[in-house]
Amino acid sequence: MMTNTIKHHVNDDLMMAYSSGNLPEAFSVAVAAHISMCDECRISMESHNTVGGILLEMQTDIKVGPDALQKTLDKIATSCPVEKVEKPSKIDFPEPLSDYVGESLDTINWQPIGMGVKQSILSTSGEATARLLFIPPGAAMPDHSHSGIEMTLVLKGAFADETEYFAKGDVEIADGATNHTPVAADGSPCICLAVTEAPLKFRKMFHRIIQPLIRI
Amino acid sequence: MKRIQTKIDPNEIRRRIRGMSVITKSFIVECTSLFEIGRATHFDSAASTGKAVKLVEKTESPPSSLWVEEFELIQRHKSVKAFGRLFTHFAPKIKAFLMKSGTDAAVAEECAQEVMATVWHKAHLFDPTRASAATWIFTIARNKRIDAIRKLKRPEPENLDWGPEHELDQEEAVGLQQETAKLGQALAKLPEKQRMLVERAYFKDMSHSEIAAATGLPLGTIKSRIRLALERLRHSMK
């Protein structure tokens, strides 16, 4: 059996922003999904949280009201802990992602965007957009250049750009300087979660015209 | 969907988490040297005038208590007394953290109470071999800042199956606390101005370009120095 090891991880910029709670929701979904699959990045996250804990510990106290403890005890008495609903054990996505797209690949509401490529946009708030992409084997992602950071997490299958290969669990992080053409590997379709900081700019005229319509 | 990394034993993950705070400490030290440069070129007119720069170190040290006992008393006996001790220590710090993030005093007070109520309800989830009490409470306060104050959702990773509940290994908890304390000392040794930069990166949204503006260093230099430092640290971890 082939052992699949994650080679491409969430970088420290993103991890620090995620740990400190300063990452737009769309990126946080992808980071949380990656951590769900990757022990290395879970360790990195806990370590970044430690810095936050120390900074909290270093705070100069700001007095709370004299009745604050009693009010808190009242809150405890009237509230009950929110128990997390157990997910069925067999789901197609990491849990944080299934909160947005459901549990099964079969029920995704895909929109075709040409050349067999399909997308489904997640409902997130903030400055960034997250979408599931379905790319048939051997098919290219639409040719684009980036503005802002783009993060792509492979959920199924694999893709490669000019220099590197990205398999299940791998994260590709590209910035404005990247101008590449990822192609899905042969075999099975590649399904990934792509997060963009700003709308992708397509270089081809056709895409430039329809870009506002399909929001890619 | 499960983890696909060749599964690391949960205890090994615990051990690595404890080790990582050493790594982060070196990272902070690297940051210090980064900020030193910024200070020399930008902030520090004292050096050129020959005046000594006083580095004010924080005198208070982190509490020696691991809070383990308090958490056990809360969990097993619903001890209000033990909770009171946690509350007295942490609630004013949570309020300070929230106010530094730009929350007004009344909302920060209310949210600090809610954070502490969550600490009570989730006390059974606290694992002192993975995180210090301050770290664990920070994550709860951070989430409160995101969902109650910013009204945003916070996607969290899947819970790891940490294996059968094991007896608390006091040595592990102490080891974690020691590493955390070392990191705390490294942070505390930073001159105020520089420590504020690290703090702002955590408590507020401070991008590298804002740090660049504050230190007078070109953005490229900051990014590559941070990256280099972390690469080296990661290497030494393996």
Side-chain angles (χ1 to χ4, degrees), chain A residues 117-182:
Chain A
V117 178
K118 298 184 283 186
Q119 72 167 358
S120 178
I121 295 176
L122 278 63
S123 169
T124 56
S125 50
E127 302 281 284
T129 308
R131 54 169 56 75
L132 283 177
L133 285 175
F134 175 103
I135 307 152
M141 300 255 290
D143 192 15
H144 60 261
S145 60
H146 302 277
S147 57
I149 296 169
E150 189 197 45
M151 174 178 173
T152 310
L153 169 66
V154 181
L155 299 163
K156 205 167 182 269
F159 73 83
D161 63 13
E162 284 81 349
T163 52
E164 290 185 283
Y165 186 83
F166 297 86
K168 184 173 168 177
D170 278 333
V171 166
E172 190 211 24
I173 295 160
D175 62 20
T178 318
N179 192 346
H180 64 172
T181 316

Side-chain angles (χ1 to χ4, degrees), chain A residues 28-89:
Chain A
S28 293
V29 181
V31 171
H34 174 77
I35 293 170
S36 301
M37 298 191 273
C38 177
D39 292 335
E40 291 293 335
C41 287
R42 185 180 294 273
I43 292 165
S44 166
M45 172 191 72
E46 303 262 11
S47 172
H48 280 87
N49 288 348
T50 304
V51 178
I54 287 164
L55 291 169
L56 177 68
E57 189 67 65
M58 282 176 148
Q59 289 313 295
T60 308
D61 290 1
I62 292 185
K63 264 196 176 165
V64 292
D67 54 351
L69 177 57
Q70 189 52 52
K71 280 187 174 166
T72 305
L73 292 171
D74 295 345
K75 282 191 172 77
I76 290 167
T78 53
S79 63
C80 55
V82 187
E83 290 295 336
K84 229 183 151 189
V85 185
E86 282 291 318
K87 289 264 160 68
S89 58

